[in-house]
Amino acid sequence: MPTSIIDSLAAWLKPGTVRRIGEVNIWKTTSGYRVCHTADLVRFGPDSGADALPTHTLPIDARQLAKLDAERKFRPLKSAPNLSGDWLLELPSIEAVREALDYFYPAGIALWLRWANGKIAPMHLRQTLNRQTGMYRVTGLIRDEEATALVQEACAPENCRRKILWEISEDLPVPLVREKRLEASPAPGVELPENVPLLCCEACNILVAAARAVVKKRMADEAAAS
Ligand code: SF4
């Protein structure tokens, strides 16, 4: 069984396979590795057709590619399903692949490996909100029904590709569409699957900020009505 992220990636990217995480596909070539957008892989295939795409050769180029959507707008959430395509990354080594994937999906591979090996426990939304300080402390006052509606909206598949592992609280599951849950928990020690799911182990900063807006709006409405 692979013992490091690099070993796991090398085993995952064995010759003759095309792998995927989020909206990018990766495969081995005779001289290194190629990465491209899934839509471009469907258009061109993994062979010479992809040569027509503008080519980048440094892992750090992935940071710029992940930064803007097709309309050149900033992507604050890297797991939003709006990664733009029309590029090809030609990388020389598995280390370079790891670095590039971390720009597209920060810690995406590492998180899945830690989860699959039982080394990470999800944090329920109430736990995340109750530990906030400063201007976000107020998020702890969000009501269950507000939190449920917020998660269903903000985390919907059209806004974020991550699979949610947490609930509102231990006693209150959040009803989510099928795409937002893992179909099955992996058995410990398994290798990376062909299509690595992006996981959400605790609410991100964007959701916490949205929870603050919900609570502040309710407070303002209540103040105006009193
Ligand atoms: S909380 Fe998780 S699922 Fe929801 S938007 Fe943030 S990263 Fe995506």
Side-chain angles (χ1 to χ4, degrees), residues 127-145:
Q127 293 172 278
T128 303
L129 299 183
N130 288 342
R131 70 175 188 184
Q132 300 298 312
T133 57
M135 65 184 277
Y136 293 105
R137 194 184 198 92
V138 74
T139 59
L141 298 176
I142 197 167
R143 293 173 180 159
D144 285 344
E145 64 275 18

Side-chain angles (χ1 to χ4, degrees), residues 170-182:
E170 206 166 307
D171 304 326
L172 183 63
V174 55
L176 291 166
V177 294
R178 189 179 47 81
E179 300 99 294
K180 290 303 297 182
R181 297 291 194 189
L182 270 184

